[in-house]
């Protein structure tokens, strides 16, 4: 079975606490929440992801920002 390019790249694991914001690098297009709830903002649109949910991020010239929603730490993988 052939693997896609995103499957060959090891994800970065990120932990965010309340009031912290992560700016996703332009080269990263996938986000998976491992624990907690993520608030993702992209092109004036908001996406909420809960534990074990994943999203593909469309290409944009604008930065993708992610923060932890609620008081729980957010643990996520991005690649």
């Amino acid at each position: 079975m052939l693997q896609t390019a995103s499957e060959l790249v090891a994800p970065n694991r990120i932990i965010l606490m309340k009031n912290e914001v992560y700016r996703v690098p332009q080269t990263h297009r996938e986000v998976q929440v491992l624990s907690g709830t993520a608030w993702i903002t992209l092109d004036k649109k908001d996406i909420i992801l809960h534990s074990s949910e994943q999203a593909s991020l469309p290409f944009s010239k604008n930065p993708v920002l992610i923060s932890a929603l609620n008081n729980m730490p957010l643990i996520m993988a991005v690649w």
Side-chain angles (χ1 to χ4, degrees), residues 21-62:
V21 176
Y22 177 71
R23 184 178 178 152
V24 179
Q26 288 279 343
T27 56
H28 292 59
R29 297 287 101 202
E30 299 287 328
V31 175
Q32 181 178 16
V33 174
L34 304 174
S35 178
T37 305
W39 177 7
I40 303 170
T41 301
L42 169 66
D43 291 334
K44 299 180 183 177
K45 296 179 184 174
D46 293 329
I47 301 168
I48 304 296
L49 292 181
H50 300 279
S51 187
S52 75
E53 293 183 327
Q54 184 173 337
S56 295
L57 305 173
F59 176 77
S60 175
K61 293 180 203 172
N62 299 315

Side-chain angles (χ1 to χ4, degrees), residues 15-21 67-68 70-74:
I15 299 173
L16 295 178
M17 304 306 281
K18 183 179 179 180
N19 298 324
E20 293 182 328
V21 176
S67 58
N70 303 324
N71 292 326
M72 275 182 74
L74 169 62

